[in-house]
Amino acid sequence: MGDEGIVTKQANPGKATILALGKAFPHQLVMQEYLVDGYFKDTNCDNPELKQKLARLCKTTTVKTRYVVMSEEILKKYPELAVEGIPTVKQRLEICNQAVTQMAIEASQVCIKNWGRTLSDITHIVYVSSSEARLPGGDLYLAKGLGLSPDTQRVMLYFVGCSGGVAGLRVAKDIAENNPRSRVLLVTSETTIIGFKPPSADRPYDLVGVALFGDGAGAVIIGSDPILEIERPLFELHTAVQEFLPDTEEKIDGRLTEEGISFKLARELPQIIEDNVEAFCDKLMSVVGFQSNDYNELFWAVHPGGPAILNRMEKRLDLLPEKLNASRRALMDYGNASSNTIVYVLEYMIQEGLNIRKDGRGDPEWGLILAFGPGITFEGILARNLCA
């Protein structure tokens, strides 16, 4: 999205700020109501019980639309992707490596256009993906594809899953605040082809992924001490915290195998997040003097891992229903797009803030940017909405 009509506040000196956002998607749009028939046709599966289960899951995820790289053309070229037990990691990576690079370039170009400055002003790249594996990595192919200077400093975050977008913000914040006048391009890019498989009663969780996950890319420009004549800061990234929960590393389990990535998520994952989110949020909020009963005075940009996680957070923190609107909208429109999704949530937050101010209502200045990923890892950023 562009930032037309946005009037921003001044950031604290030296603090990293989000200066622009951008996104990109593959061309294939999937409507949730047509997904079940299409998936079982593509995988040549005729199992009524599994089909009914996927239909139920598609309703409970609240997802309406998603974008995916997978297409009829890809399945015609690589029919083995829809066959059980065939080693296909080489083919998958051929597709994924090209697809994530292209989406990353497109999202970056949108973001840079929204930012309003030139490519030569980008000093660093932070590249995040759980959908590719190669040497050199996607960070180099992104820099090359954009035409960035060879001396642009690069960092990669691989296989950090759903917490990758907020982890990337944390790393970019550290870079921006410790390198005066730097401008960091954070890019996330993901595709589910790396884990696409035919339905199997032996892998019931695969159906959750089919019903929930989507593809795409996100991009963010981060820098401290914005030049207000040419830059419009959107959010100040005040304090960032990462924390893992001991002895939970098997609750989100992903393995790269000869047949692509296989995931297992524990049934108790939403409960574990609910049990630990309050203390994690309180730690961040206390930095600027908020108390645990101040949750509804904040804005909430939460990675929508699924409706169960959002519902449990809302219940545990006694949040007003509208507090998670941006997260629920992102989930509905794009599915869980792994590390990308927090970018889409932040865009929706800016849109909703504009509507709130048009109605003459107040928009919270402080809030939390949150995501949960393998580890179980909690990523959180105490942020100021500079558009509020």
Side-chain angles (χ1 to χ4, degrees):
M1 62 172 283
D3 52 11
E4 297 82 0
I6 297 175
V7 178
T8 63
K9 298 178 180 179
Q10 188 166 346
N12 287 308
K15 286 293 185 182
T17 60
I18 292 176
L19 299 170
L21 299 165
K23 62 182 183 292
F25 301 98
H27 300 302
Q28 188 89 349
L29 175 66
V30 176
M31 307 294 290
Q32 194 81 335
E33 61 261 39
Y34 303 123
L35 180 139
V36 177
D37 289 338
Y39 174 63
F40 276 80
K41 176 185 175 185
D42 290 343
T43 55
N44 300 306
C45 180
D46 186 20
N47 184 318
E49 185 176 342
L50 289 177
K51 196 170 184 179
Q52 289 175 4
K53 182 174 182 178
L54 180 58
R56 291 194 300 270
L57 287 169
C58 283
K59 293 178 181 178
T60 60
T61 61
T62 70
V63 177
K64 300 297 183 185
T65 55
R66 280 175 291 167
Y67 294 87
V68 296
V69 172
M70 181 59 80
S71 64
E72 290 184 7
E73 291 75 18
I74 288 175
L75 282 174
K76 285 179 182 178
K77 185 176 180 180
Y78 302 97
E80 61 271 27
L81 296 181
V83 180
E84 187 77 29
I86 296 180
T88 52
V89 69
K90 179 182 177 181
Q91 297 94 314
R92 292 172 190 277
L93 290 175
E94 285 178 2
I95 303 165
C96 293
N97 291 345
Q98 180 179 353
V100 294
T101 297
Q102 184 59 40
M103 291 188 293
I105 290 170
E106 291 174 5
S108 299
Q109 289 170 337
V110 172
C111 185
I112 293 166
K113 181 179 179 181
N114 290 336
W115 177 38
R117 294 180 63 178
T118 64
L119 273 174
S120 61
D121 293 324
I122 294 173
T123 59
H124 297 73
I125 284 178
V126 177
Y127 177 77
V128 182
S129 183
S130 298
S131 305
E132 62 157 273
R134 53 182 162 173
L135 294 174
D139 60 325
L140 185 137
Y141 290 103
L142 172 61
K144 179 181 177 182
L146 288 173
L148 290 173
S149 170
D151 64 3
T152 304
Q153 308 296 292
R154 310 187 317 275
V155 175
M156 277 195 306
L157 299 179
Y158 264 10
F159 293 104
V160 284
C162 290
S163 59
V166 183
L169 287 172
R170 174 175 50 79
V171 172
K173 166 183 165 61
D174 286 348
I175 293 171
E177 292 178 354
N178 287 283
N179 294 270
R181 296 180 297 281
S182 62
R183 290 298 180 263
V184 185
L185 174 63
L186 165 64
V187 185
T188 65
S189 193
E190 309 284 4
T191 173
T192 50
I193 281 184
I194 194 73
F196 179 88
K197 292 181 178 66
S200 169
D202 296 329
R203 298 189 313 274
Y205 181 74
D206 283 2
L207 294 180
V208 178
V210 173
L212 184 63
F213 290 105
D215 300 353
V220 189
I221 297 285
I222 296 109
S224 59
D225 300 316
I227 303 171
L228 297 180
E229 292 80 9
I230 55 176
E231 294 177 314
R232 282 177 279 190
L234 304 173
F235 296 93
E236 176 186 307
L237 306 178
H238 188 279
T239 302
V241 174
Q242 182 196 63
E243 183 178 306
F244 73 90
L245 305 180
D247 302 319
T248 63
E249 58 270 15
E250 295 182 359
K251 302 303 180 182
I252 304 175
D253 186 67
R255 306 291 174 97
L256 185 59
T257 72
E258 292 181 342
E259 297 176 58
I261 284 184
S262 296
F263 282 107
K264 292 181 181 178
L265 272 71
R267 287 182 176 272
E268 62 268 28
L269 177 61
Q271 183 66 56
I272 293 171
I273 292 173
E274 179 186 350
D275 290 343
N276 291 275
V277 71
E278 191 169 1
F280 183 75
C281 293
D282 288 352
K283 180 191 300 185
L284 276 167
M285 292 165 57
S286 66
V287 172
V288 289
F290 283 105
Q291 305 296 318
S292 59
N293 57 354
D294 294 334
Y295 296 129
N296 283 304
E297 295 182 23
L298 305 177
F299 68 80
W300 293 82
V302 181
H303 168 81
I309 292 173
L310 296 179
N311 292 343
R312 285 176 177 268
M313 273 194 62
E314 185 176 285
K315 178 183 176 183
R316 173 58 65 102
L317 304 179
D318 199 21
L319 296 177
L320 297 170
E322 62 267 24
K323 289 295 178 178
L324 296 179
N325 275 355
S327 296
R328 294 189 190 279
R329 283 183 64 193
L331 181 64
M332 181 175 65
D333 292 345
Y334 306 115
N336 178 347
S338 192
S339 63
N340 309 319
T341 323
I342 198 64
V343 178
Y344 314 152
V345 172
L346 290 171
E347 281 202 341
Y348 277 144
M349 287 205 62
I350 293 170
Q351 290 180 11
E352 291 189 356
L354 286 172
N355 293 333
I356 288 172
R357 291 188 294 280
K358 285 179 182 177
D359 293 340
R361 292 175 286 153
D363 199 11
E365 180 178 359
W366 289 94
L368 298 180
I369 302 172
L370 301 174
F372 317 103
I376 294 170
T377 300
F378 281 38
E379 293 276 359
I381 299 176
L382 175 69
R384 282 178 67 213
N385 183 354
L386 299 177
C387 308

